[in-house]
Amino acid sequence: MATGPDCIIAAIRDALAQPLKLGRRVVVGLSGGLDSVVLLHALAQLRAEMALELSAVHVHHGLSSNADAWAAFSVSICDALAVPCHVVRVQLPDATGKGVERVARESRYAAFESVPGDILCLGHHQNDRAETFLLNLCRGAGATGLAGFPKARLLGPKHMLRPLIDLPRAALQAWATAQQLRWIEDESNADCRYRRNYVRHQVLPTMAAVFPGVVQVLSRTADQMQEQAALLDRLAVLDAGACRDTAGYLSVQCLQQLPEPAMRNLLRYELTQAGIRIPAARRLMTLAAQVVSARSASEVLVHFDNVGVHVWRDHIWIDRAMAHMPPFEHDLSPGVSHWPDGQLRIDGVLDADGSLQVAVIGQGQRFQPRGRCRDLVSELLREQGIPPWVRPRLPGLWQAGRLLWVAVLGWSDSASRQPIAQSGSVWWDAYAVVCL
């Protein structure tokens, strides 16, 4: 890679050479800080040479009292360069259990994905990568975590690039000074109560005093970890191919034949491919232990944030609806209501006297479907192949505490002989249940 004053331009030119063959609308993630300001100005200088359709996106999190000023600054430097700038204001959800930094990051990337463009360029540099490596190392991360953020990946339909990832912050600082650029400083970046800031201001300088090239070494090690992570993914794909049943799902019995490290690696890969975040290595180890000890009649649950992962009937099932609350009990009326596991549609007039309510089935109810014997609802649904965690969440129609209709099972034997079951229609449209 080029060094000296031309290293910034050369790095960006090299990073964009291939992706530009797929589209020329380049979007810069612009915070207004040094990194993104350097990236914006360098891309503006390359705009004519590389025929770029350049724009920028600034995400307004509203976390700082200076947030409005930062947005205005970002718009002003874009105006000076004749670059369109989208300011996206986000409302951060509750950060309980995640932390403000993670929630802000997730919201930021969702905003990046929402703006039009073919290529998204971000200003992360070598120091950012070294900091991430140390943070993940202290969390006990494996190869994937130690690899940190990649130089390039897909973000929805966009190609996301980090053209400056192999350059130290000092190179960006020198280029910005030579170009007489202005940028903003986020006051929170100096607060060492945040772990990243502590690593940046305390840990890395101390290490660099003893090991002068530590930032470059850690970044190079992250590169090596990316190679290791890619090899582990390749192994997982090979193992998965040998462990799938005729329906294409992973078989728990086959997984049990793998060495446990290989099984954990396969589970990690499959969960990640399904978009499920693994909050800690011990959660993955818990799931692997449950797979090892699973029996055909057992059902176990492991939580991955707000997603449930179940081992049941020789498969691993994904329950994304675990945290979704079903509707409160309400009077029956025509229309569609949304439930964690499907949609309930009522057509026509079923309840002329207003005596019917819609509510979850819950636990322990007995029911006699038309033409069948009376039994526990859970047992009747089990016979229909409905997973145990879905059964109590399904809707039912009730009259004076008596269950007259159950999703999947239909009308009770007594209700089907009454006019109530003839005057309209009840439809249950179940969502697909997902297995790995």
Side-chain angles (χ1 to χ4, degrees), residues 274-286:
I276 298 171
R277 178 179 174 271
I278 301 172
R282 64 179 177 274
R283 201 67 56 87
L284 185 61
M285 294 181 72
T286 299

Side-chain angles (χ1 to χ4, degrees), residues 40-54:
L40 175 68
H41 279 80
L43 282 165
Q45 292 182 23
L46 288 168
R47 178 168 38 184
E49 173 192 327
M50 303 190 78
L52 309 179
E53 298 177 26
L54 187 60

